Amino acid sequence: MRKTVSVWIITLLAMGLLLRTSASAQSGAKNGEWRSYGADVGNTHYSPLDQINASNFNKLTVAWAFKTDNLGPRPEYQFEGTPLMANGVLYSTAGTRRAVIALDAATGELLWTHSEREAARGAAAPRQLSGRGLAYWTDGREERILYVTPGYRLLALDAKTGVPIPAFGKNGVVDLKLDDDQEIDLINGEVGLHAAPAVAKDVVIVGAAHRSGGVPRGKKNVKGYVRGFDVKTGKRLWIFHTIPLPNEYGAETWENDSAAYTGNTGVWGQISVDEELETVYLPVELPTGDYYGGHRSGNGLFGESLVAVDLHTGQRKWHYQLVHHGIWDMDIPCAPILADITIDGRTVKAVAQPTKQAFLYVFDRVTGKPIWPIEERPVEQSTVPGEKTSSTQPFPTKPPAYDRQGSSINDLIDFTPELRAEALKLVSRYKMGPIFTPPVVSKFEGPLGTLAMAVNSGGTNWPGGSYDPETHIAYVPAQRVLGQLGLVPGDPNRSGDFAYIAGQARNPNAPAAGAAAGGGGEGGGPGVTVQGLPLQKPPYASISAIDLNKGEILWQIAHGETPDNIRNHPALKGVKIPRTGRPGVFGILVTKTLLVSGERGTFTTPSGKVGAMLRAYDKATGKDVGEVYMPAGQTGTPMTYMLNGKQYIVVAIGGQGFPAEFIAYRLPN
């Protein structure tokens, strides 16, 4: 009997260990709440809730709405936030002053608000408005909210009252322009953050962002270092130099002392953490500037690299550079997705990185080794004076690209023969080629620039992808934009000593005018059009389901209704056009059975109402299973929670003429 009991104890302990191991993996939001920007610190954007499903999604009604008009001196229209929910309270940043709000999650009633007035420092900030969210921390007794102000200050608030924590930093504030291993002007220093800080165990991790780099103020700029802070005291625990110091790993990849003055190279997207491995995953952007690298010769680590560092010390564990010496504004714009997958019958702790270049790069997150080979392949070299591009670039062999890359004649609009002919004439003045075809000096007689998809505002942007830990399928959004990468000589009044900046040559016989910007950065820029129609074929936005066990695309769908200007275009009268998807940056929520995502912008519904749809898809097939009307387009990423027996879906919406708000849906009583 004693032996039997011992066997049972050992078995139960083993089961407990298995349970603990499972619980520590990235399994989405837990207990019906949503305590992290991406549902969990692995940024899966997944919740196992299933009260709302394919059979009833169309029955959703508005539970409450929260308007942000008065949270600042003027209304906001670009509300990119994803709220958190803990203990029945919804938390978010909101409004043009980036206030923090706490709402009753059942009714939307405002419980408290906190707002900072940063005067000239806030007005000069490169990243303004409400940002993308905040972080929540608790030790089971105390609850704290942490966020970064437009003026780049980290605040810790009491989650119950909104009052700053006196023992954190200086009266609740850590000035992020100090103790950063560089001198930063406290008012005009070009550094800030839109993203939410990441919190894991008792460490707060904060990245850095700058102005869009198409027209930098000069070759010198603030460096985008990443730091970890003690969540209780605000003390700096570590700093990771994304541009190495002279004695650090990677310094040799910066030629001609360019590391000394080059800036940017920040982490402006969301950061992911594996608490069990005590590892932080940093998606690093490119150095100054976005389209010309002649002032920073070399491959430039850790630009456009996924870097794994120790949670407690910030020491580099491994890195992989996705783009060498980047000049395409590919950045790494979003959170790495932590995913436990099955390869050849064994469980592998993986990290999957969506990108603007529409490649999903997948690595062993312990070792940094690619799950499938990534090949260095020769690419075309730049002809821009002073530019020295890398002779090769990394190409993943799996999964395949999930959207079009580069440009070719086959990518052009072909709704009608006339539109196709006009498109061919238009592109004859541009350079075309595969991914990594470099920008060119813009000439009015041609080429005006390089046409390319899956650069600057294409592919996957800041919302990132989503992941189902049960099926090991990643869901990745993409926007298809045919950008133009042209360069013009730097203007001392705008770009200081920068030799070339983004722009397009003007007609020498036309009146003087400023050069047009040649790319959209993270927010997107104007594409080339034919009679106001996109030059490229649809879909203009898509969702791809990718099996991470096999590295295969399972299905792809166009996301979003055909825009009115295409549906009603006189050149397309009588032409039957399948749903094209809607251009714009959007994020995805994954639940037990559904994918949920809203459309950007608005269109005219069959009933004549102008608005957008929050759409639900069967996550196994991509088939439409429901839609619910929104008065404006989605601007943030949807989240979900359960409260008092009811499941809610909350999403930020807004747009031209419609000040931003949160709108919450649930099933009728």
Side-chain angles (χ1 to χ4, degrees):
M1 178 69 179
R2 190 172 296 170
K3 182 178 180 181
T4 304
V5 170
S6 299
V7 170
W8 272 107
I9 291 173
I10 292 170
T11 303
L12 289 170
L13 286 171
M15 289 177 64
L17 180 61
L18 288 172
L19 287 171
R20 286 195 297 275
T21 302
S22 175
S24 65
Q26 304 307 320
S27 55
K30 298 176 182 177
N31 304 318
E33 297 189 325
W34 192 280
R35 293 192 172 195
S36 187
Y37 172 88
D40 52 43
V41 289
N43 283 285
T44 61
H45 293 276
Y46 172 80
S47 171
L49 298 179
D50 62 357
Q51 185 182 85
I52 297 172
N53 54 50
S55 70
N56 58 31
F57 192 89
N58 285 335
K59 299 176 183 177
L60 290 176
T61 60
V62 175
W64 54 262
F66 181 83
K67 298 183 179 297
T68 68
D69 304 40
N70 297 323
L71 294 173
R74 63 189 187 281
E76 181 179 20
Y77 300 92
Q78 183 66 18
F79 188 15
E80 297 177 349
T82 298
L84 312 184
M85 198 286 270
N87 299 320
V89 180
L90 200 79
Y91 301 98
S92 184
T93 51
T96 49
R97 208 184 289 281
R98 198 175 299 178
V100 177
I101 57 173
L103 309 179
D104 184 308
T107 66
E109 178 187 2
L110 181 64
L111 302 177
W112 58 255
T113 182
H114 176 90
S115 180
E116 294 284 314
R117 285 162 175 75
E118 297 181 298
R121 177 165 172 164
R127 299 293 166 131
Q128 300 190 20
L129 304 178
S130 59
R132 299 189 181 121
L134 39 69
Y136 171 89
W137 170 88
T138 183
D139 59 2
R141 299 181 301 275
E142 184 184 359
E143 297 176 273
R144 292 186 180 185
I145 296 298
L146 299 110
Y147 82 110
V148 176
T149 69
Y152 205 46
R153 296 153 70 235
L154 174 65
L155 270 70
L157 309 176
D158 185 311
K160 293 182 174 63
T161 65
V163 175
I165 305 291
F168 183 87
K170 186 177 181 180
N171 298 320
V173 180
V174 171
D175 191 331
L176 295 171
K177 290 188 176 182
L178 300 175
D179 200 15
D180 195 36
D181 290 6
Q182 59 184 318
E183 292 294 325
I184 304 176
D185 186 292
L186 295 183
I187 302 298
N188 297 307
E190 189 192 300
V191 63
L193 192 67
H194 268 153
V199 176
K201 296 190 173 178
D202 290 340
V203 182
V204 186
I205 307 106
V206 179
H210 306 75
R211 295 171 63 244
S212 176
V215 185
R217 290 173 174 158
K219 66 182 183 181
K220 300 177 182 179
N221 204 5
V222 177
K223 302 176 191 299
Y225 295 152
V226 181
R227 283 166 289 174
F229 298 90
D230 187 298
V231 74
K232 297 179 181 178
T233 66
K235 177 184 176 182
R236 191 186 98 173
L237 301 175
W238 53 263
I239 186 168
F240 180 77
H241 300 125
T242 52
I243 298 177
L245 299 181
N247 60 338
E248 292 182 330
Y249 185 98
E252 73 284 355
T253 66
W254 294 81
E255 299 174 3
N256 303 324
D257 199 34
S258 56
Y261 55 79
T262 303
N264 297 77
T265 324
V267 176
W268 61 259
Q270 293 300 139
I271 291 169
S272 298
V273 185
D274 186 320
E275 291 185 301
E276 183 182 62
L277 295 176
E278 299 189 328
T279 302
V280 180
Y281 299 90
L282 306 175
V284 185
E285 64 156 358
L286 79 171
T288 318
D290 285 354
Y291 305 106
Y292 179 74
H295 301 300
R296 49 173 171 85
S297 298
N299 281 354
L301 288 178
F302 293 92
E304 291 179 300
S305 300
L306 180 60
V307 184
V309 303
D310 185 275
L311 172 63
H312 300 291
T313 67
Q315 288 294 309
R316 184 190 69 90
K317 292 187 174 183
W318 59 263
H319 77 277
Y320 202 100
Q321 189 172 51
L322 309 187
V323 182
H324 308 317
H325 188 84
I327 52 170
W328 298 271
D329 188 20
M330 289 172 172
D331 287 332
I332 303 182
C334 58
I337 301 170
L338 305 194
D340 294 350
I341 61 178
T342 304
I343 303 293
D344 297 328
R346 65 185 183 90
T347 298
V348 175
K349 293 180 179 294
V351 54
Q353 180 65 67
T355 58
K356 290 182 181 179
Q357 54 266 40
F359 277 136
L360 185 68
Y361 300 79
V362 188
F363 304 94
D364 183 311
R365 69 176 184 265
V366 180
T367 66
K369 180 180 178 181
I371 297 297
W372 299 283
I374 297 179
E375 300 174 349
E376 289 285 341
R377 299 176 186 171
V379 293
E380 183 178 338
Q381 298 299 287
S382 175
T383 59
V384 176
E387 184 65 270
K388 182 182 176 184
T389 42
S390 173
S391 60
T392 64
Q393 293 289 351
F395 285 76
T397 56
K398 279 188 170 185
Y402 53 85
D403 204 359
R404 298 291 298 168
Q405 301 169 319
S407 65
S408 72
I409 298 300
N410 292 334
D411 298 319
L412 301 181
I413 185 174
D414 60 357
F415 290 142
T416 69
E418 293 78 13
L419 289 171
R420 177 72 165 196
E422 192 170 338
L424 289 171
K425 181 179 179 181
L426 192 154
V427 302
S428 67
R429 298 186 64 200
Y430 289 87
K431 181 179 179 64
M432 303 181 81
I435 187 174
F436 298 121
T437 298
V440 295
V441 175
S442 183
K443 300 177 181 178
F444 183 73
E445 66 275 16
L448 285 168
T450 298
L451 292 179
M453 291 179 284
V455 296
N456 50 50
S457 56
T460 304
N461 217 289
W462 58 262
S466 302
Y467 175 70
D468 186 337
E470 296 184 5
T471 62
H472 300 176
I473 296 173
Y475 299 94
V476 189
Q479 175 184 205
R480 184 175 297 181
V481 177
L482 192 54
Q484 48 181 318
L485 307 181
L487 296 171
V488 295
D491 179 350
N493 296 320
R494 298 168 61 206
S495 55
D497 54 1
F498 220 76
Y500 287 92
I501 58 175
Q504 183 171 300
R506 65 176 187 267
N507 186 339
N509 299 317
E522 66 182 89
V528 186
T529 64
V530 178
Q531 296 185 33
L533 297 169
L535 180 60
Q536 71 278 12
K537 292 178 183 177
Y540 308 125
S542 64
I543 299 173
S544 300
I546 302 176
D547 184 336
L548 290 189
N549 291 340
K550 299 178 180 179
E552 298 174 354
I553 296 176
L554 300 178
W555 52 257
Q556 292 180 310
I557 57 169
H559 173 64
E561 193 51 72
T562 303
D564 286 353
N565 70 313
I566 296 176
R567 187 194 306 276
N568 302 323
H569 199 284
L572 299 178
K573 188 174 182 179
V575 179
K576 187 175 181 180
I577 299 175
R579 185 192 290 177
T580 63
R582 297 188 58 81
V585 175
F586 63 97
I588 303 169
L589 164 68
V590 187
T591 69
K592 186 76 172 177
T593 59
L594 300 178
L595 292 183
V596 179
S597 185
E599 299 170 324
R600 292 301 298 261
T602 58
F603 71 100
T604 305
T605 68
S607 66
K609 295 174 68 175
V610 174
M613 293 295 176
L614 183 67
R615 297 186 178 274
Y617 305 99
D618 183 304
K619 71 180 186 182
T621 64
K623 179 182 176 182
D624 287 22
V625 294
E627 60 186 33
V628 59
Y629 175 81
M630 303 186 298
Q634 171 180 304
T635 52
T637 299
M639 54 82 78
T640 189
Y641 57 89
M642 183 75 79
L643 186 64
N644 301 327
K646 286 284 188 180
Q647 183 183 353
Y648 294 74
I649 294 176
V650 179
V651 62
I653 63 173
Q656 186 174 3
F658 191 96
E661 66 179 45
F662 277 131
I663 189 165
Y665 295 94
R666 72 178 182 195
L667 294 171
N669 293 323

